[in-house]
């Protein structure tokens, strides 16, 4: 265990805290839940930075970090859809969660085939993550701020993230397809 891994574990531990705060029946609970999400997102950046800077990259960290990210994002999206049911929010949430499951499975399969590098993170995946991490705190907070329709801005960013999600998933699948096709033909 090292500091980056502890930060990742803290991020995972913040998930039930987030859920609890999100459901508190107080006026300030959306702000508190937003702050918790932002802190979790910052630990995501910080653990990666520290792992590289301190040369503490580990197999455990390489496994835990994406799991922590996907857990937090999926939980937030599910809770948001539960609070704001309807197609407008459910559609991008389903696209994002579905893509995460698909790409995780694809990466696992490609690792089994010895071709994990075929599904390395792309620029679209990185931009998708930025748009998603900007959208989610706005959707969590949801109240207008200084006349700015925070929820609407968050929703627009979430749709941008969902669009980039589809683009990056297509890239991963297209990159992996020759190796996948080769492996199925051998069977």
């Amino acid at each position: 265990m090292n500091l980056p891994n502890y930060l990742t574990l803290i991020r995972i531990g913040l998930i039930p805290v987030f859920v609890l705060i999100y459901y508190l029946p107080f006026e300030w609970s959306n702000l508190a839940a937003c702050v918790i999400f932002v802190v979790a997102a910052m630990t995501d950046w910080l653990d990666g930075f520290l792992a590289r800077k301190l040369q503490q990259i580990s197999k455990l960290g390489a496994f835990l970090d994406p799991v922590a990210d996907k857990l937090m994002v999926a939980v937030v999206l599910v809770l948001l859809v539960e609070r704001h049911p309807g197609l407008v929010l459910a559609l991008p949430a389903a696209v994002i969660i579905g893509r995460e499951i698909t790409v995780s499975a694809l990466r696992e399969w490609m690792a089994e085939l010895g071709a994990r590098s075929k599904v390395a993170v792309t620029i679209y995946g990185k931009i998708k993550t930025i748009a998603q991490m900007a959208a989610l705190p706005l959707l969590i907070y949801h109240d207008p701020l200084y006349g700015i329709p925070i929820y609407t801005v968050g929703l627009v960013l979430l749709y941008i993230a969902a669009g980039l999600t589809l683009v990056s998933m297509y890239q991963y699948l297209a990159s992996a397809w020759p190796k996948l096709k080769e492996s199925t033909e051998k069977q």
Side-chain angles (χ1 to χ4, degrees):
M1 285 299 288
N2 56 38
L3 180 58
N5 290 346
Y6 282 120
L7 288 171
T8 301
L9 290 174
I10 287 169
R11 189 161 69 253
I12 292 170
L14 284 174
I15 294 170
V17 175
F18 172 85
V19 172
L20 177 67
I21 298 296
Y22 186 81
Y23 279 111
L24 286 177
F26 301 115
E27 188 175 309
W28 50 264
S29 64
N30 63 331
L31 175 59
C34 180
V35 168
I36 291 168
F37 179 83
V38 170
V39 166
M42 288 171 45
T43 67
D44 180 26
W45 173 83
L46 186 60
D47 68 20
F49 173 79
L50 290 174
R52 288 184 296 279
K53 183 82 169 166
L54 301 174
Q55 297 180 356
Q56 293 183 343
I57 295 170
S58 68
K59 289 182 180 182
L60 178 63
F63 165 73
L64 279 180
D65 184 62
V67 169
D69 298 345
K70 288 164 183 43
L71 284 173
M72 180 61 100
V73 168
V75 166
V76 169
L77 287 170
V78 167
L79 295 181
L80 286 168
V81 170
E82 187 264 338
R83 183 166 283 172
H84 307 280
L87 181 63
V88 171
L89 189 55
L91 182 61
V95 166
I96 290 169
I97 293 170
R99 179 264 192 199
E100 295 302 343
I101 293 168
T102 302
V103 171
S104 292
L106 179 64
R107 284 187 174 132
E108 186 176 328
W109 191 9
M110 294 304 285
E112 289 284 322
L113 298 175
R116 174 104 162 97
S117 63
K118 293 276 187 191
V119 285
V121 176
T122 67
I123 188 67
Y124 288 107
K126 290 180 181 187
I127 296 169
K128 179 268 312 176
T129 300
I130 291 167
Q132 184 174 276
M133 293 310 201
L136 293 177
L138 297 176
L139 293 169
I140 294 164
Y141 182 74
H142 74 75
D143 291 336
L145 188 63
Y146 303 112
I148 299 169
I150 294 296
Y151 186 83
T152 303
V153 173
L155 201 53
V156 168
L157 286 170
L158 192 65
Y159 269 87
I160 291 169
L164 291 168
T165 289
L166 292 173
V167 170
S168 68
M169 184 174 71
Y170 172 79
Q171 283 184 317
Y172 294 134
L173 290 169
S175 177
W177 182 250
K179 188 71 175 174
L180 294 173
K181 187 176 176 190
E182 174 187 313
S183 74
T184 57
E185 288 173 353
K186 290 180 181 178
Q187 294 179 356

